[in-house]
Amino acid sequence: MKQARLKLKRRNMSFTQKIRYRMRNELDDPKWAQYVDKLSFKEYAESKGIASPRTIAILESFNIDDIPDSCVIKMNNGSSRNIIIKDGNIIGGFGKGGTVASQKKEITETIFEWQKPYNPVWEPHYKYVQPTLFLEELMYPVPEDYKFFVFHGKVRIIQLDSSRFSSHCRLYYDRNWNDTGCRDKDHVPCTDVFPKPDNLEELIEAAEKLAPPIDFVRVDLYSIAGNIFAGELTFSPGAGSEDIQPEACDKMFSSWW
């Protein structure tokens, strides 16, 4: 009886409410670790035949003077824990707009904080990931970010994020690359027209291959010169704060879940 009431309650939730419900009730479980650990995920993606950006080094300690002039500094746990560096300039993530040389102290202090266990209140699945700092090869020019919303194993929505480190904008397409007109409250819709990727079918196939057998997951991919790279899996996009608009779109997203 209780289970039936819970199912009914979830059925009437908005898409973002379902994300928040999952965060509170479903993610505090070690089974998610292999997917959300950004290093373990690379191995998982490889087991599915999909490459990921090359790992340059796994760091047991951090010395900013040993960091390459162009790379991505990442933590394997949590979100927004990265520093994207091109020729000594920080083009994305923490310290964006500055240089490594001018922010040595701030970068070192921030990375020290990142290496502490992740706060499990917002994304409790990171509680089961051992914090590890690593360097990743910089993909440049920075590619478009394709985020595939996979419901019960099938891609329904493709979120395109463009110019993430300059004039960030976002669009939502269906799996046939038609603009759905759906938006979210936190991002400006792109005004440019983006052509359908030549390898869209392969991208969809890769997303569905990477998606675990659950009701919803977002699969992030990149496409460079026709080559597909796995980014990450996200089980709580935007921490349930990016309300989908208009209401008809929110209901559509929720109905698939």
Side-chain angles (χ1 to χ4, degrees):
M1 189 69 175
K2 181 179 179 182
Q3 202 68 20
R5 285 199 301 270
L6 286 174
K7 284 184 178 180
L8 180 62
K9 180 181 178 181
R10 282 196 56 175
R11 190 182 307 154
N12 295 325
M13 289 180 182
S14 70
F15 177 67
T16 47
Q17 284 174 334
K18 287 182 177 180
I19 292 174
R20 291 193 289 268
Y21 179 90
R22 170 182 275 181
M23 290 164 59
R24 290 191 303 269
N25 298 283
E26 299 173 359
L27 292 183
D28 191 353
D29 191 316
K31 71 180 181 182
W32 306 111
Q34 68 166 318
Y35 304 119
V36 299
D37 181 327
K38 291 175 175 57
L39 286 170
S40 294
F41 174 70
K42 289 173 179 283
E43 298 177 6
Y44 170 75
E46 185 178 353
S47 75
K48 300 290 185 178
I50 300 167
S52 59
R54 181 172 65 91
T55 301
I56 299 172
I58 295 174
L59 305 180
E60 294 184 3
S61 59
F62 179 73
N63 183 342
I64 197 166
D65 294 322
D66 295 335
I67 301 302
D69 288 339
S70 296
C71 67
V72 183
I73 305 174
K74 280 189 172 183
M75 287 297 299
N76 68 326
N77 68 325
S79 59
S80 303
R81 292 186 169 197
N82 54 63
I83 303 173
I84 303 169
I85 304 168
K86 175 73 168 70
D87 298 327
N89 298 303
I90 304 173
I91 63 172
F94 174 80
K96 174 185 169 183
T99 66
V100 173
S102 67
Q103 298 197 51
K104 285 186 175 184
K105 181 173 181 290
E106 292 82 357
I107 290 171
T108 300
E109 289 175 349
T110 297
I111 286 177
F112 175 77
E113 290 299 315
W114 284 355
Q115 293 181 83
K116 295 178 181 179
Y118 194 78
N119 184 345
V121 173
W122 296 106
E123 292 173 305
H125 40 313
Y126 288 118
K127 182 167 66 176
Y128 303 97
V129 176
Q130 178 62 39
T132 305
L133 184 69
F134 65 102
L135 302 180
E136 194 172 80
E137 180 180 26
L138 174 65
M139 297 187 296
Y140 196 85
V142 177
E144 308 294 5
D145 202 349
Y146 300 105
K147 301 177 184 292
F148 295 80
F149 286 49
V150 184
F151 296 88
H152 299 280
K154 182 176 181 178
V155 170
R156 296 284 192 174
I157 290 291
I158 306 166
Q159 174 186 313
L160 169 71
D161 285 76
S162 182
S163 305
R164 285 173 295 146
F165 307 124
S166 54
S167 51
H168 187 184
C169 63
R170 177 177 290 177
L171 291 172
Y172 292 91
Y173 293 92
D174 66 17
R175 63 183 284 133
N176 297 312
W177 205 251
N178 299 305
D179 186 352
T180 62
C182 300
R183 305 292 183 252
D184 67 60
K185 71 178 183 63
D186 291 339
H187 295 88
V188 175
C190 302
T191 55
D192 292 339
V193 175
F194 294 90
K196 181 171 73 171
D198 292 336
N199 60 344
L200 179 61
E201 289 185 10
E202 288 82 3
L203 283 163
I204 289 173
E205 181 181 352
E208 292 179 346
K209 189 180 293 185
L210 285 169
I214 60 171
D215 45 17
F216 167 71
V217 64
R218 196 188 77 197
V219 182
D220 298 356
L221 299 174
Y222 306 103
S223 180
I224 302 175
N227 297 309
I228 297 172
F229 295 89
E232 63 179 346
L233 298 182
T234 302
F235 296 92
S236 51
S241 66
E242 299 172 344
D243 294 336
I244 301 297
Q245 302 170 341
E247 186 179 356
C249 285
D250 181 274
K251 288 182 176 178
M252 179 173 66
F253 282 36
S254 181
S255 69
W256 289 321
W257 191 337

